[in-house]
Amino acid sequence: MARIEERLVTMIEPAVAALGFELWGVEFVRAGKHSTLRVYIDHEDGIGVDDCADVSHQVSALLDVEDPINSEYYLEVSSPGMERPFFSAAQMQNYLGETAAVELTMAQQNKRKFKGVIKAVDGNSVEFEVEGEPMTVNYSAVKKAHLVPQLN
């Protein structure tokens, strides 16, 4: 996670928790005047549009006061959805046996992008089964990862 995202998580997590939600993760996508700050929230009962609006108002007010981003941006608040992005190895723990799409910062075992079944999580280390072979990845080497929904 980039430094700005780490600072934003530290800043907004208490506000999200005070509203009764879990801060799943934060993405800041730079694109000139069209940058986007995505805040993902979760709750065991699911997330509705009103929940997103409540968190958006709270986070927006907090960001107006703290002003951590010195450029224009759009604020989006949503649930992680079926293809939930992962922001830490610990988040993968609840998805053992499920498939994740992973992009690494550098190739490992001749793979930079792969889909694999999450087999085990140990601290910052995640073991996947990729094409029938085990592959262990330190989460710090992960550029992006998200759940691949299994449609039955």
Side-chain angles (χ1 to χ4, degrees):
M1 199 175 339
R3 286 185 51 82
I4 182 72
E5 290 159 336
E6 289 172 5
R7 284 193 2 246
L8 289 165
V9 165
T10 302
M11 185 181 305
I12 66 178
E13 193 165 30
V16 172
L19 291 171
F21 301 103
E22 173 190 355
L23 178 62
W24 183 259
V26 171
E27 287 178 333
F28 185 62
V29 181
R30 287 174 174 76
K33 286 190 172 191
H34 303 290
S35 297
T36 303
L37 173 59
R38 286 192 190 99
V39 176
Y40 295 98
I41 59 172
D42 207 4
H43 191 276
E44 62 188 23
D45 296 331
I47 298 295
V49 175
D50 290 340
D51 300 328
C52 293
D54 291 345
V55 171
S56 180
H57 291 307
Q58 190 73 23
V59 168
S60 183
L62 178 65
L63 294 174
D64 286 346
V65 171
E66 297 291 331
D67 200 21
I69 301 170
N70 57 8
S71 61
E72 290 182 35
Y73 62 92
Y74 299 105
L75 173 62
E76 293 178 3
V77 177
S78 72
S79 81
M82 289 179 59
E83 288 189 11
R84 64 182 50 228
F86 292 111
F87 295 92
S88 70
Q91 289 178 330
M92 292 184 164
Q93 183 69 47
N94 293 329
Y95 296 91
L96 297 178
E98 305 259 355
T99 301
V102 180
E103 181 179 350
L104 302 175
T105 54
M106 291 177 49
Q108 186 173 318
Q109 291 177 225
N110 294 323
K111 292 181 183 358
R112 190 159 169 261
K113 292 182 178 182
F114 62 89
K115 287 183 182 175
V117 176
I118 304 167
K119 298 306 255 180
V121 177
D122 183 13
N124 206 30
S125 183
V126 182
E127 182 185 331
F128 297 95
E129 182 180 307
V130 182
E131 299 170 0
E133 298 292 321
M135 181 174 182
T136 302
V137 173
N138 187 308
Y139 199 83
S140 63
V142 173
K143 181 176 180 180
K144 286 180 166 180
H146 69 84
L147 192 63
V148 177
Q150 302 300 309
L151 304 175
N152 296 333

